[in-house]
Amino acid sequence: MNPELIVEEVRLTPILIADPPLLNTQGVHQPFTPRLVVEVVTRGGVTGLGETYGDRRYLDLARPLAEALSGHSVTDMNGLFALAARVCGDSRAVDGRVDAGGLRGVQTADKLRLSVVSAFEVACLDALGRSLGLPVHALLGGKVRDSVEYSAYLFYKFAGTDEWGAALDPAGVVEQARRFDRLYGFRSFKLKGGVLPPEQEVAAIRALAEEFPGRPLRLDPNGAWSVETALEVARELKDVLEYLEDPGTGTDAMAEIASRTDVPLATNMCVTTFEEVPEAFARDAVRIVLCDHHYWGGLHRTRELAALCRTYGVGLSMHSNTHLGISLAAMTQVAATLPHLDHACDTHYPWQTEDVVTTRPVFHDGRLAVSDAPGLGVELDREALAALHRRWLDDDGSLRDRDDAAAMREVDLAWSPTRW
């Protein structure tokens, strides 16, 4: 065991980052959202970076893992999962709520633990790459593309204090897409649905198809529709949709919808763990899975998922949630190694005005160049990290757990999620 690669310490820094008022079926984004920055420091003096959700339930799992990781090698990725299973609690369901942070279904301790481990695994890979002078993609088998395509992520949106303005009708959605096209050159567009009556969201997709003929279009209502509503939307948009993402909740609903439409169904909700793969694939419930290293436990397991999808003829895309430059770098590094990445990846990054990396990644023609620098290819801005951590420390606790429903009830006291 190379002593230079032994973990000397792990630093955890919870932060609050500014977030615009983007709408989804669970409510609206709060003004600030919690993230967690993980630093793994080796005895050789190298620091690797990782990032994940920062809600208190994740912090509660990250703290014992950070203590336990000291003395282990950054090369021991398999041991990291065994260590986390030993020190981070059991696998019983945490509660019956949908995870508003990622809209990935009912929370369980297993899912939470994997999201924590993901940041530690990325930080270990970053440290290992920096130590060896190799990019992370080389540690994952090597890149198969020099740039990764991303999709514009469109949202229904309140006006807020940002430069984007409101988007509450088809005209607002189209104007938002124009700006994404102009500023970043994105070639495909995804609309977060489940917010307005389905016929209004159909009208928005139709308006996008008219404005951007031939561009790939996606609609994601996060399981807010009944089977019959989903089928009606699929009929209305069958000629323009690249895919329809999670129109219904759960494998049963998705399988029924899939059996009655030719529109490809994608998921980020009914397949987010390996245990959920066999039933969904056997029942042809989905034709595209959106991978997410935060969900699956890191970059190695993302590649395992990609291999399963390739084996069973299921397409692959990539999910995004509110994230910073560390996570975007990790997403790009692993995406570069996936031969059958069939669709442009999601990213929230253009919505984020704050970051903890010294240089913001720049999209050209909707793509990010794959860094060949050692590790992830990003450097930590310690002043920015400290400022965002101070915001977290100064918070009274009301923003340390993301709660889109609570934010929406500040606008409408009687609001509750609608199933169309």
Side-chain angles (χ1 to χ4, degrees):
M1 184 181 295
N2 185 342
E4 297 289 297
L5 300 179
I6 300 301
V7 177
E8 181 70 23
E9 66 170 319
V10 179
R11 305 186 193 119
L12 303 178
T13 309
I15 60 178
L16 286 174
I17 63 169
D19 211 12
L22 308 178
L23 297 162
N24 58 56
T25 187
Q26 292 295 312
V28 64
H29 290 204
Q30 294 169 298
F32 302 99
T33 197
R35 297 295 286 179
L36 175 63
V37 174
V38 175
E39 298 176 73
V40 170
V41 185
T42 69
R43 290 179 184 171
V46 173
T47 300
L49 305 175
E51 175 197 339
T52 191
Y53 303 101
D55 306 62
R56 280 174 284 203
R57 61 182 71 88
Y58 297 95
L59 282 171
D60 288 345
L61 297 178
R63 287 177 177 127
L65 182 56
E67 291 184 10
L69 191 60
S70 294
H72 292 257
S73 173
V74 295
T75 63
D76 188 12
M77 306 298 170
N78 292 330
L80 180 60
F81 291 91
L83 182 65
R86 188 168 72 249
V87 303
C88 293
D90 61 33
S91 60
R92 292 173 295 180
V94 175
D95 55 39
R97 293 180 297 157
V98 169
D99 181 358
L103 292 167
R104 63 185 297 194
V106 175
Q107 296 173 346
T108 68
D110 276 338
K111 291 181 179 181
L112 298 179
R113 184 166 61 242
L114 285 171
S115 291
V116 170
V117 171
S118 71
F120 284 73
E121 189 240 32
V122 168
C124 286
L125 283 167
D126 187 32
L128 180 59
R130 291 170 188 265
S131 298
L132 300 178
L134 294 172
V136 165
H137 65 72
L139 305 179
L140 299 175
K143 63 181 179 179
V144 297
R145 57 184 61 85
D146 292 322
S147 66
V148 174
E149 184 180 6
Y150 285 88
S151 178
Y153 211 151
L154 310 179
F155 283 84
Y156 290 107
K157 179 181 176 297
F158 293 144
T161 59
D162 57 87
E163 299 177 353
W164 288 80
L168 296 170
D169 55 21
V173 170
V174 168
E175 182 54 38
Q176 192 180 102
R178 288 191 189 116
R179 180 166 179 167
F180 270 113
D181 181 51
R182 184 173 66 253
L183 293 179
Y184 307 107
F186 291 119
R187 306 301 298 168
S188 61
F189 301 93
K190 171 176 169 177
L191 175 62
K192 179 66 75 179
V195 175
L196 301 179
E199 61 270 18
Q200 296 183 34
E201 297 183 352
V202 167
I205 294 293
R206 281 287 174 198
L208 288 169
E210 182 175 348
E211 180 72 18
F212 302 97
R215 300 278 192 96
L217 302 176
R218 313 164 182 179
L219 177 57
D220 173 20
N222 281 125
W225 297 340
S226 68
V227 168
E228 293 305 321
T229 297
L231 290 169
E232 178 60 28
V233 171
R235 282 191 291 269
E236 291 283 341
L237 297 176
K238 62 183 179 182
D239 59 325
V240 295
L241 280 182
E242 178 186 14
Y243 58 70
L244 184 57
E245 183 181 337
D246 287 307
T249 298
T251 298
D252 287 345
M254 291 286 284
E256 183 175 354
I257 297 165
S259 71
R260 297 167 61 185
T261 181
D262 292 329
V263 174
L265 300 190
T267 189
N268 169 63
M269 293 179 67
C270 71
V271 180
T272 62
T273 65
F274 287 105
E275 290 76 16
E276 294 166 333
V277 166
E279 181 184 9
F281 285 13
R283 297 178 65 183
D284 293 322
V286 296
R287 286 169 58 185
I288 298 130
V289 170
L290 277 71
C291 62
D292 184 329
H293 74 272
H294 305 91
Y295 284 8
W296 293 84
L299 307 189
H300 284 288
R301 291 201 173 189
T302 298
R303 286 180 46 79
E304 291 176 18
L305 170 65
L308 276 178
C309 289
R310 184 171 68 249
T311 299
Y312 286 92
V314 174
L316 190 70
S317 187
M318 184 175 287
H319 169 258
S320 163
N321 197 19
T322 306
H323 63 82
L324 298 175
I326 297 171
S327 280
L328 183 59
M331 293 162 63
T332 303
Q333 288 286 316
V334 71
T337 72
L338 305 178
H340 297 282
L341 186 64
D342 310 286
H343 306 271
C345 302
D346 291 348
T347 180
H348 283 64
Y349 191 71
W351 289 109
Q352 311 313 138
T353 58
E354 299 176 326
D355 208 339
V356 295
V357 297
T358 55
T359 304
R360 286 181 67 92
V362 178
F363 295 91
H364 294 288
D365 296 325
R367 308 182 74 92
L368 277 184
V370 179
S371 172
D372 292 322
L376 292 175
V378 296
E379 300 299 329
L380 191 60
D381 183 333
R382 295 206 170 275
E383 286 189 13
L385 181 69
L388 298 179
H389 180 54
R390 282 196 298 273
R391 182 187 288 159
W392 185 89
L393 291 172
D394 292 341
D395 177 62
D396 62 6
S398 60
L399 295 174
R400 292 186 182 181
D401 293 309
R402 178 172 164 178
D403 192 338
D404 292 6
M408 182 62 88
R409 291 189 184 107
E410 291 185 10
V411 178
D412 178 1
L413 188 61
W415 180 87
S416 63
T418 301
R419 184 168 178 81
W420 308 97

